[in-house]
Amino acid sequence: MKISFNWLKLYLDTEVSIKFICKILTDIGLLVENLKKIKNLNSFKEDYLIELNIPPNRRDVMSHYGIARDLNIALKSRGFKSKIKYFPSVSLFKKEINFKNLKCFIEKNKKCIRYSYTTLSNIKVLDSPNWLKNYLNNIGCISTNNILDIENFILYELGKPIRIYDLDKIKNFSLSLKESPKKFLFNKKFFSSKNDLILFNDKNPICIAGLLVNNNFIVEKLTKNIFIESADYSAEYIYKIAKKYNIKNEFSIRFERGLDPNLNIYALKRAALLIKKLSGGKISSKIVDFYPEKNIEKNIDLFIRFNKINNIIGYNLNFIKIKEILILLKIKVLKENFNGLKIKIPFYRKDITREIDVIEEILRIYGYNHFNCKEKIYFSCKKRNFLLKKEKMIENMISNQLNSHGFYEILNSSLTEKKYSKYENNNFYEKIFIFNSKNKNFSFLRDNLLFGILEKISSNKNKYKFFEWGKKYFFYKKNILENKTLGIICAKNNNSFFQFKGIIEQLIIRCGINVENQKIYKNGIYFNYKKNIICNIGYIKKAILEEFEIFHNILYADINWDIILLLLKKEEKSFFKKKYHKYNFTIYRRDISLLIEKKISFEEIKKLSFYKENKILKKIHLLDEYNSKNFPFGKKSYTISFFFQNFKNNLTETIIEKTINKLKFIFIKKIKAIIR
């Protein structure tokens, strides 16, 4: 937002320099991005243009008067002489002549909170005086005429949008939802409307919710009578309609942040008196005010605690200073005791709704850099920081290992399309719907990383190796859950199933976790820990691949990173390699190839391997699964790796061979295996 220093001084009386004012503005949260010296037209006075970055929630400082009010509070709290000049008087406003009566119809609707208007007659449309031109030109607003310039002057002075129309072109008007046609011509463009707040003259649209004005009703040189409106609409509705019609201007910015409806009448009177002064016109009607629900928004009462303020700030602030700041902020103190204060928030500060908001205001006005703390205050936990660093270090290590295998890291949006849900058959949880005004197709939080990665493969035809760190979101038993996941994808043309499986096993083992429990299913394999699935590896269905126009097999691994982190945090019962100080034990490996029936699973072989007398076998891995036409009907081949270790340090080749022979005997007898 751009403001003029000379314009600001109309409402603020202080001797503080412009540079110090910029410093104070930045200190109270209104960041000064640029300060520029400018010269006024037809005047020897110099002015300064101040460019501010206004926080989205601060609707009260979207004007010169609002900034002057906030600046006055900050200066006074720091001990500087400063005085705010109140709004110029509008006591001279009164109806002077009678003019034609308008037939008006305003439909009661929650989208229109308040609508007020008045009329002026016998005006003269002329060039604006130099003082008005200077104020507008200095902030980059082009001067048009003395009537429309007042419209902009009120906008930047009070932050209250008003609209001025040519009254001679209006026979009767209505602000309605029911009478709005489905399509209408507006400034040589067709607009599709349904239940939009449109101001109509008969069936001709005058204005769309205060945002866009029909050029046929704009004030021109021959205009003699004018109609002035001051409206207040629902901020949520204005945001939606601005996105719908792609409107972005100074009016939409203020309407979207919400306005103070109590300012409507004053803005109308102020504009009418200024126009009367500059154009010689006369007020031809009283203020017509449509305000159906006056008590729809009330002042908020809060109780703030002194100990809460000091705990949040980290400094024992004097309660007398706290009261002083609250009074400067126009926050009324209703009750007071040793614990805290009961206060009432002024209506124009709609952004203050909680105790923490009040504490933030106290800290902002007092100054973030004005605390003289003898001891350093640490807001973070060392142990937590250590764990975060450790987790990040492991993630980087895994990412580097995947990079070494030729995988590219990608980052996708958390929003996904609803059409992908038809490929997921999960009755355990529900998807989370998000209202997305920009793109209605992307209206669900993802519960799978797969589809986002497939989109990248579809658009990058030459690359088939990707991985992504991300979160999955879903409803489970009325709770919103987040699950951190590592998704890895690879084309079959580049890697076979067991090569890809080996890469995933390396990643998990690199984290210090032993992959022991593996369960084979039709299209892939699970890695389990107790009842939790650590990883799922398999082929993607052809129906899903056809959705993305991919015509070759793709392997995908979904690693539940939250479970891995949970295992890593365990201290005594972790899956890290144990340290033995007395002995250094060696692990021995032997491989056996078996020809067995297809119905026999790897889990059955695993159970048979760990018989009671076998105390040296520590783990087994499925090294390879092979099917061939040369095998007898219904047969398959498994190559299994057996790992042996003995804590008594007396393991010999003879003992290992005896165990291997015993295992072969069990496989032949129990599952009728043929040793290859």
Side-chain angles (χ1 to χ4, degrees):
M1 178 181 171
K2 297 178 180 179
I3 64 169
S4 163
F5 181 60
N6 289 346
W7 196 345
L8 189 69
K9 286 170 69 176
L10 290 177
Y11 319 110
L12 183 67
D13 186 9
T14 181
E15 296 180 356
V16 178
S17 67
I18 177 65
K19 290 186 178 180
F20 190 77
I21 281 177
C22 291
K23 183 181 177 182
I24 294 293
L25 286 170
T26 301
D27 194 34
I28 61 175
L30 308 177
L31 179 63
V32 176
E33 294 183 334
N34 191 22
L35 177 65
K36 184 180 178 182
K37 195 174 184 179
I38 52 178
K39 289 184 178 180
N40 290 325
L41 296 172
N42 303 319
S43 175
F44 296 103
K45 290 183 178 180
E46 291 183 341
D47 196 2
Y48 289 92
L49 177 67
I50 306 172
E51 294 185 29
L52 298 172
N53 187 351
I54 305 295
N57 63 320
R58 294 299 307 278
R59 66 171 189 174
D60 58 300
V61 292
M62 291 292 293
S63 64
H64 282 77
Y65 187 86
I67 292 168
R69 179 174 52 197
D70 219 39
L71 192 56
N72 177 63
I73 294 168
L75 289 171
K76 278 190 173 181
S77 69
R78 287 161 172 77
F80 295 97
K81 289 184 179 181
S82 179
K83 185 179 180 181
I84 187 73
K85 298 176 183 178
Y86 293 101
F87 288 136
S89 174
V90 292
S91 59
L92 296 177
F93 180 90
K94 64 178 180 179
K95 183 180 177 181
E96 297 172 303
I97 60 171
N98 290 321
F99 192 67
K100 66 177 183 179
N101 294 324
L102 287 171
K103 295 179 181 179
C104 67
F105 170 74
I106 302 174
E107 183 181 299
K108 183 179 177 181
N109 192 281
K110 291 181 180 180
K111 296 176 182 178
C112 181
I113 298 169
R114 189 174 190 179
Y115 190 90
S116 312
Y117 71 87
T118 188
T119 60
L120 273 80
S121 301
N122 302 327
I123 65 162
K124 293 181 181 179
V125 180
L126 306 167
D127 273 351
S128 298
N130 287 335
W131 66 267
L132 183 55
K133 283 183 178 179
N134 287 333
Y135 285 144
L136 294 176
N137 289 334
N138 288 351
I139 61 172
C141 185
I142 300 171
S143 175
T144 308
N145 56 53
N146 58 343
I147 306 301
L148 295 180
D149 285 355
I150 293 299
E151 184 180 279
N152 289 322
F153 183 81
I154 297 297
L155 177 70
Y156 292 109
E157 180 190 46
L158 305 175
K160 182 68 179 178
I162 63 167
R163 285 296 188 182
I164 304 175
Y165 313 115
D166 190 332
L167 184 57
D168 294 328
K169 297 177 181 178
I170 301 174
K171 295 179 181 179
N172 54 70
F173 73 90
S174 62
L175 181 69
S176 174
L177 296 175
K178 294 180 180 178
E179 296 183 8
S180 58
K182 292 182 179 179
K183 285 188 178 181
F184 59 89
L185 187 64
F186 193 89
N187 294 343
K188 298 181 180 181
K189 292 182 180 180
F190 277 101
F191 284 81
S192 177
S193 171
K194 186 179 181 181
N195 292 337
D196 286 342
L197 281 174
I198 314 292
L199 184 67
F200 282 95
N201 174 39
D202 289 335
K203 292 184 179 180
N204 297 318
I206 301 173
C207 184
I208 301 177
L211 301 181
L212 279 182
V213 178
N214 192 336
N215 293 334
N216 296 329
F217 296 90
I218 290 177
V219 175
E220 299 173 342
K221 287 184 179 180
L222 300 177
T223 300
K224 295 296 180 184
N225 306 296
I226 57 173
F227 174 92
I228 313 173
E229 74 165 18
S230 178
D232 188 37
Y233 302 104
S234 164
E236 183 182 353
Y237 167 71
I238 292 294
Y239 175 79
K240 290 179 183 178
I241 200 171
K243 294 294 182 185
K244 178 180 177 181
Y245 295 124
N246 195 23
I247 301 170
K248 191 71 174 179
N249 55 33
E250 293 293 336
F251 289 81
S252 67
I253 290 170
R254 285 161 177 79
F255 275 126
E256 286 173 12
R257 301 188 184 199
L259 299 172
D260 183 359
N262 295 328
L263 205 57
N264 276 30
I265 303 302
Y266 177 83
L268 277 179
K269 291 181 177 180
R270 171 76 168 147
L273 290 173
L274 283 172
I275 292 172
K276 178 185 173 183
K277 180 181 177 181
L278 299 182
S279 67
K282 293 187 177 181
I283 299 169
S284 56
S285 75
K286 295 180 180 179
I287 299 291
V288 179
D289 188 25
F290 177 76
Y291 199 3
E293 298 181 17
K294 293 184 179 181
N295 298 322
I296 192 170
E297 296 185 61
K298 299 180 180 179
N299 292 61
I300 298 172
D301 292 351
L302 294 172
F303 186 81
I304 58 169
R305 297 160 288 175
F306 294 133
N307 62 342
K308 182 72 172 178
I309 295 171
N310 294 331
N311 288 338
I312 294 294
I313 294 176
Y315 180 78
N316 290 326
L317 193 61
N318 191 338
F319 75 94
I320 297 174
K321 187 65 178 178
I322 292 172
K323 283 181 64 178
E324 180 189 330
I325 292 172
L326 292 176
I327 292 168
L328 287 171
L329 288 166
K330 304 297 181 184
I331 297 175
K332 292 182 180 179
V333 178
L334 303 177
K335 289 183 182 180
E336 179 183 346
N337 56 38
F338 291 107
N339 295 324
L341 304 169
K342 186 179 181 182
I343 57 175
K344 179 175 281 189
I345 309 300
F347 189 74
Y348 75 90
R349 290 305 304 271
K350 199 175 181 180
D351 57 305
I352 302 176
T353 57
R354 305 168 298 166
E355 182 185 14
I356 191 66
D357 296 332
V358 181
I359 296 171
E360 183 184 355
E361 282 298 296
I362 293 169
L363 181 57
R364 184 178 68 88
I365 298 302
Y366 186 80
Y368 297 104
N369 302 318
H370 289 181
F371 298 104
N372 297 318
C373 297
K374 295 180 181 179
E375 298 180 1
K376 292 183 179 179
I377 301 170
Y378 295 94
F379 294 96
S380 60
C381 176
K382 290 183 179 179
K383 186 176 180 181
R384 177 60 182 163
N385 284 344
F386 173 76
L387 291 173
L388 288 173
K389 287 180 181 179
K390 192 174 182 180
E391 292 171 9
K392 195 65 181 176
M393 182 186 70
I394 294 170
E395 288 181 20
N396 291 336
M397 177 184 69
I398 297 302
S399 297
N400 291 335
Q401 186 164 337
L402 285 168
N403 291 146
S404 68
H405 286 288
F407 288 87
Y408 295 90
E409 185 173 4
I410 59 172
L411 183 65
N412 288 309
S413 170
S414 296
L415 294 175
T416 187
E417 295 189 62
K418 186 181 180 180
K419 65 179 181 180
Y420 297 144
S421 60
K422 64 184 178 183
Y423 300 113
E424 299 172 348
N425 298 320
N426 201 323
N427 299 321
F428 296 102
Y429 58 82
E430 298 178 14
K431 284 181 171 288
I432 301 175
F433 174 78
I434 297 291
F435 178 77
N436 186 358
S437 59
K438 289 187 176 180
N439 193 337
K440 292 182 180 179
N441 292 329
F442 289 85
S443 54
F444 287 88
L445 283 175
R446 65 182 177 188
D447 57 355
N448 200 319
L449 303 186
L450 172 63
F451 302 110
I453 304 177
L454 286 175
E455 287 174 357
K456 289 293 183 292
I457 286 185
S458 181
S459 59
N460 294 273
K461 300 295 184 182
N462 298 325
K463 296 176 182 177
Y464 299 109
K465 287 184 174 184
F466 293 106
F467 71 94
E468 180 184 8
W469 298 94
K471 284 189 176 182
K472 299 188 289 189
Y473 308 87
F474 46 88
F475 274 121
Y476 180 72
K477 294 182 179 179
K478 299 182 179 180
N479 295 317
I480 297 176
L481 300 181
E482 298 181 14
N483 176 223
K484 188 164 186 179
T485 306
L486 172 59
I488 308 170
I489 206 163
C490 179
K492 186 185 176 184
N493 297 340
N494 297 331
N495 287 85
S496 68
F497 178 85
F498 286 100
Q499 283 178 321
F500 185 65
K501 173 178 170 287
I503 292 171
I504 305 305
E505 281 184 349
Q506 285 178 7
L507 298 180
I508 298 173
I509 293 170
R510 187 80 182 272
C511 294
I513 298 173
N514 293 325
V515 182
E516 295 181 355
N517 299 325
Q518 299 180 12
K519 186 176 180 181
I520 299 172
Y521 64 102
K522 184 177 180 181
N523 293 321
I525 190 168
Y526 286 115
F527 294 164
N528 293 339
Y529 170 67
K530 294 185 177 179
K531 294 183 179 180
N532 298 312
I533 299 174
I534 295 177
C535 178
N536 179 14
I537 306 171
Y539 290 106
I540 300 170
K541 294 179 181 179
K542 289 185 179 180
I544 299 175
L545 295 177
E546 288 173 1
E547 177 77 32
F548 297 91
E549 298 181 356
I550 299 172
F551 304 104
H552 52 80
N553 290 334
I554 297 287
L555 285 163
Y556 179 68
D558 187 273
I559 301 175
N560 191 333
W561 196 250
D562 281 342
I563 292 179
I564 290 178
L565 291 178
L566 188 65
L567 298 176
L568 291 175
K569 286 176 184 178
K570 291 185 177 182
E571 296 178 358
E572 296 180 359
K573 297 181 180 181
S574 69
F575 282 75
F576 286 109
K577 293 180 180 179
K578 297 179 180 180
K579 296 180 181 179
Y580 300 97
H581 301 287
K582 294 183 180 180
Y583 306 102
N584 182 19
F585 302 105
T586 305
I587 296 177
Y588 298 87
R589 172 182 164 181
R590 296 290 184 273
D591 295 340
I592 300 177
S593 291
L594 304 173
L595 188 65
I596 56 175
E597 293 183 5
K598 285 186 177 181
K599 64 180 181 179
I600 297 172
S601 67
F602 176 71
E603 289 297 318
E604 291 181 49
I605 297 172
K606 190 174 181 180
K607 287 180 182 178
L608 292 173
S609 301
F610 287 97
Y611 58 90
K612 289 183 180 180
E613 296 82 10
N614 191 356
K615 296 181 180 180
I616 62 172
L617 181 64
K618 296 306 167 189
K619 59 182 179 180
I620 69 171
H621 283 176
L622 179 60
L623 187 64
D624 189 22
E625 179 184 1
Y626 182 65
N627 291 290
S628 175
K629 294 179 180 179
N630 297 325
F631 290 162
F633 179 76
K635 297 286 184 177
K636 64 179 178 181
S637 174
Y638 270 176
T639 301
I640 303 170
S641 297
F642 297 85
F643 297 87
F644 301 95
Q645 189 181 43
N646 190 359
F647 294 138
K648 294 181 180 180
N649 206 22
N650 60 355
L651 195 60
T652 62
E653 289 290 338
T654 306
I655 297 173
I656 294 172
E657 287 301 322
K658 285 183 179 179
T659 307
I660 289 292
N661 292 332
K662 177 70 174 177
L663 287 170
K664 290 179 180 179
F665 177 76
I666 292 172
F667 296 149
I668 293 169
K669 186 177 180 181
K670 297 289 185 181
I671 59 175
K672 298 180 181 179
I674 299 173
I675 309 299
R676 300 181 67 204

